[in-house]
Structures are given as structure tokens and as C-alpha cells.
Amino acid sequence: MASLFGSSSDMVIQPVAENGCEFLLAIDEKGLYLTTSKYVDSNMADPNRYTGARVGMDRRLAALGLDAASIAAANQHRVKKFGEGEIKKKVNPLKASKRAMRG
């Protein structure tokens, strides 16, 4: 199931080496980001998705010889859309029972 905060293996595009460190290039609804294998499929929130780490991502990828725009366009199928039947709103049984009593 897709996570609002974590990274999953189906979001990962390819491994990338930057300054001797191994990263994973991933994509979500906000675009491309670099993460580590520590956060992929780990049930932990991935700070690489929700911090300032995305600032300058196009420049970082260009320095590595990667074209961010074409990679993002080619991998849009990996982006999970929330609210399209995957996550359903939970129903509070107490409120539901009160609605049934009124109607």
C-alpha cells in the first residue's frame, strides 16, 4: 500500500552515486528526490521526501549527468495518486450509528 510519508521500492528509479555515497533516485507526487536504502520499504517516514533536501534537485542531477525533466516524465507511472480508491476514509461507528437513528 502506498504511504504518505515513507518511500517504497516501486518509487525507486535507479541507484545514483554522489560524492562517494550511494543514493536511490525516487519519484513521488512532488517530483524527484534522493533517498537511501534505509528508508525504502521500512515503515519509517522518509525525511528526504519532506525536508529541504529537494531544493536544487535539478542542479544536483545535472551535475551527475542526469536530465531531471526527462527522468520525471518517463517515470510518472510510478507516482501513486491518493484518493483514487486506495485509501478510504475511516468511518466512526459512533457517528454512523447516530446518523442511522436520525434518519
Side-chain angles (χ1 to χ4, degrees):
M1 184 168 107
S3 169
L4 288 172
F5 305 106
S7 295
S8 60
S9 56
D10 59 338
M11 298 166 73
V12 174
I13 298 169
Q14 67 185 54
V16 174
E18 181 183 44
N19 298 328
C21 297
E22 188 71 25
F23 293 101
L24 298 171
L25 180 61
I27 190 168
D28 66 1
E29 66 280 354
K30 294 179 184 177
L32 298 172
Y33 66 99
L34 293 173
T35 189
T36 61
S37 58
K38 172 183 176 180
Y39 294 107
V40 176
D41 293 331
S42 67
N43 292 331
M44 290 190 307
D46 187 347
N48 299 301
R49 282 182 75 181
Y50 294 99
T51 62
R54 288 181 192 251
V55 175
M57 184 58 58
D58 291 346
R59 288 189 306 273
R60 284 178 72 185
L61 293 177
L64 297 170
L66 300 170
D67 180 18
S70 64
I71 291 173
N75 288 283
Q76 283 301 308
H77 66 279
R78 296 178 186 272
V79 176
K80 301 291 184 211
K81 305 283 187 206
F82 290 100
E84 293 180 356
E86 208 170 301
I87 296 178
K88 295 182 179 178
K89 185 176 179 182
K90 293 183 180 179
V91 176
N92 183 333
L94 294 176
K95 288 184 179 179
S97 66
K98 289 179 183 176
R99 280 188 217 122
M101 292 172 66
R102 280 189 250 156

